[in-house]
């Protein structure tokens, strides 16, 4: 086989443990999954009701242009339909961008540590990866990222709010950065957690799309909308950029049920706002716990929090797992003494906080 050489040492994406697996392994009846930043409140009941009306005609391909969803989304965002690209999750759009713009001889700039698929796809496409460490506060070091850009740079990736830290880029810093980036370099602004943001100095990304022709904004229905299993994401940019990117998109890439679900979900913004409020209440519980117990954490604009337990993150992960709580070890996320915890329902959060207290008490007793 004439494999690309860069594939030989590349590992596939490693998802968190699934619920059934943990039940069998530890003989547990109840498992709470707080590892993948899914919405603990599910999805809008309007979506559930709408899907019940589907007539079961599954032999036909989906609408390849996702016409109804595209028009509804354009109206909701107040952009033109030609400014949108739809994907099988925003992951697919990340892949499309990499395939369109990265190759041997070019480089791409990103933070470290951030969402791993930027680097993964760049390696597959043979581009040089230039990683710029986050600041001590877990923020993108935009000045250092600018210094990493040269005439061979093709794409710059910004994750705001960032995964796994939950931190964000302020409007002032982002605008200054965009003004300084060469016009022939694409800036990808990944806003998967946009709907959870409460920071007053956050930017309006869609206004920035109109101001900067080399900017594309990515969003998803997988997080606050609670539709992760349907895999629908989208990008917004100027019409010329989208027109050039569109030929990379696979035909029929957004499935029929996904189009129906997301079309309906857009109509229930009350659900979205309710989830945002309850998520913020959950974050405050974790903040209070961390302050009480002297644990470091990054203030989050997302539905997760990265907490430093000052011990091996895999040890913390395993302790929680054996007690029925699946979180994400910080070890594979390059935060080796931390765990990333998805904010759950009030009951789920309070249950995990009890387990966290037990863990800290047992660690203290051993000292």
């Amino acid at each position: 086989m004439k494999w690309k050489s860069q594939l030989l040492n590349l590992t596939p994406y490693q998802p968190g443990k699934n619920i059934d697996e943990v039940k069998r392994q530890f003989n547990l009846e109840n498992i709470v999954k707080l590892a993948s930043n899914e919405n603990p409140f599910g999805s809008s009941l309007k979506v559930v009701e709408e899907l019940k009306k589907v007539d079961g005609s599954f032999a036909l391909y989906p609408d390849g242009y996702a016409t109804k969803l595209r028009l509804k989304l354009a109206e909701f965002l107040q952009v033109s339909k030609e400014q949108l690209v739809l994907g099988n999750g925003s992951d697919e759009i990340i892949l499309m961008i990499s395939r369109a713009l990265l190759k041997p001889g070019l480089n791409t700039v990103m933070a470290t540590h951030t969402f791993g698929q930027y680097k993964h796809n760049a390696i597959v496409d043979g581009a040089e990866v230039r990683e710029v460490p986050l600041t001590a506060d877990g923020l993108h070091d935009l000045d250092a990222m600018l210094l990493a850009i040269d005439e061979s740079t093709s794409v710059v990736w910004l994750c705001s709010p960032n995964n796994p830290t939950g931190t964000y880029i302020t409007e002032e810093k982002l605008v200054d950065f965009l003004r300084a980036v060469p016009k022939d370099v694409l800036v990808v602004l990944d806003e998967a957690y946009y709907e959870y943001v409460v920071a007053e100095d956050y930017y309006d990304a869609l206004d920035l799309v109109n101001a900067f022709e080399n900017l594309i904004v990515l969003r998803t229905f997988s997080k606050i909308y609670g539709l992760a299993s349907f895999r629908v994401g989208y990008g917004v940019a100027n019409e010329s950029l989208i027109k050039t990117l569109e030929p990379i998109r696979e035909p029929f890439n957004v499935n029929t049920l996904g189009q129906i679900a997301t079309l309906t979900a857009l109509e229930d913004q009350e659900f979205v706002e309710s989830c945002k409020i309850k998520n913020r209440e959950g974050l405050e519980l974790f903040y209070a716990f961390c302050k009480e117990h002297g644990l470091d954490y990054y203030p989050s604009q997302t539905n997760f929090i990265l907490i430093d337990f000052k011990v091996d993150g895999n040890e913390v992960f395993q302790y929680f797992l054996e007690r029925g709580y699946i979180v994400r070890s910080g070890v594979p996320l390059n935060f080796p003494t931390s765990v990333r915890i998805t904010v759950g329902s009030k009951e789920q959060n309070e249950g995990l906080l009890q387990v966290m207290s037990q863990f800290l008490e047992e660690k203290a007793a051993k000292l």
Side-chain angles (χ1 to χ4, degrees), residues 213-283:
E213 294 186 355
N214 60 330
L215 174 66
I216 184 169
V217 175
L218 307 186
R219 292 180 182 172
T220 181
F221 287 94
S222 295
K223 301 305 179 184
I224 205 166
Y225 285 97
L227 299 174
S229 66
F230 291 99
R231 310 306 300 125
V232 183
Y234 62 93
V236 188
N238 72 78
E239 294 183 14
S240 176
L241 193 158
I242 295 296
K243 183 178 180 181
T244 307
L245 184 63
E246 267 284 333
I248 299 291
R249 183 175 62 82
E250 293 291 331
F252 314 116
N253 63 327
V254 180
N255 68 81
T256 296
L257 295 180
Q259 292 183 38
I260 294 171
T262 50
L263 186 64
T264 306
L266 282 172
E267 298 173 357
D268 193 355
Q269 291 302 308
E270 288 184 11
F271 172 79
V272 172
E273 185 62 26
S274 172
C275 292
K276 181 177 182 178
I277 292 170
K278 287 184 280 192
N279 177 74
R280 186 52 46 179
E281 292 171 349
L283 276 171

Side-chain angles (χ1 to χ4, degrees), residues 49-77:
E49 292 303 313
E50 190 64 26
L51 290 173
K52 290 179 181 178
K53 301 176 185 178
V54 177
D55 63 9
S57 300
F58 301 132
L60 301 179
Y61 285 106
D63 173 4
Y65 194 61
T67 307
K68 291 182 180 179
L69 175 57
R70 187 180 295 269
L71 291 173
K72 182 70 174 182
L73 189 56
E75 178 186 11
F76 178 75
L77 299 174

